[in-house]
Amino acid sequence: VNILRDQNYKVGLFRPITLSPFPKEQARKALDDKKVALVVESSLGQFERLLKAHVYGVQTRIETLQSPAKGISVEEIVDRVKEIVC
């Protein structure tokens, strides 16, 4: 987030501490009035599905960056954000 903000990208971070119960209101607030959200997860999309189920009806486009069991580097996240917004 800091790297992208230093490059004048308007980005934020929503990182829930627990998934059960899912922080539905906080997730909706984080997505409110946003054009796109990037779900970054080192799994097969479980969090993406959970998020979409709890924020159903929100107009924010949800993109993903998944790398099951390998981890995701900061550079990969920065590159994916730039790909999405350009």
Side-chain angles (χ1 to χ4, degrees):
V1 171
N2 292 335
I3 291 169
L4 289 163
R5 285 181 179 167
D6 288 344
Q7 296 176 15
N8 297 317
Y9 287 88
K10 292 182 180 181
V11 296
L13 175 67
F14 173 70
R15 183 176 178 229
I17 303 303
T18 62
L19 298 179
S20 182
F22 191 84
K24 183 177 181 177
E25 294 306 316
Q26 293 89 339
R28 286 182 168 276
K29 184 177 179 182
L31 295 177
D32 189 36
D33 297 330
K34 307 303 185 290
K35 294 179 185 176
V36 64
L38 176 63
V39 174
V40 178
E41 60 180 316
S42 184
S43 63
L44 294 171
Q46 293 93 328
F47 181 74
E48 176 192 10
R49 288 190 298 277
L50 189 61
L51 176 67
K52 285 180 176 179
H54 283 90
V55 299
Y56 183 78
V58 171
Q59 298 301 310
T60 305
R61 186 176 94 231
I62 297 177
E63 297 283 337
T64 60
L65 175 58
Q66 298 173 355
S67 184
K70 291 194 263 179
I72 300 168
S73 71
V74 172
E75 293 80 17
E76 289 175 299
I77 297 169
V78 169
D79 290 344
R80 183 70 171 119
V81 169
K82 290 179 178 181
E83 178 185 306
I84 291 169
V85 297
C86 292

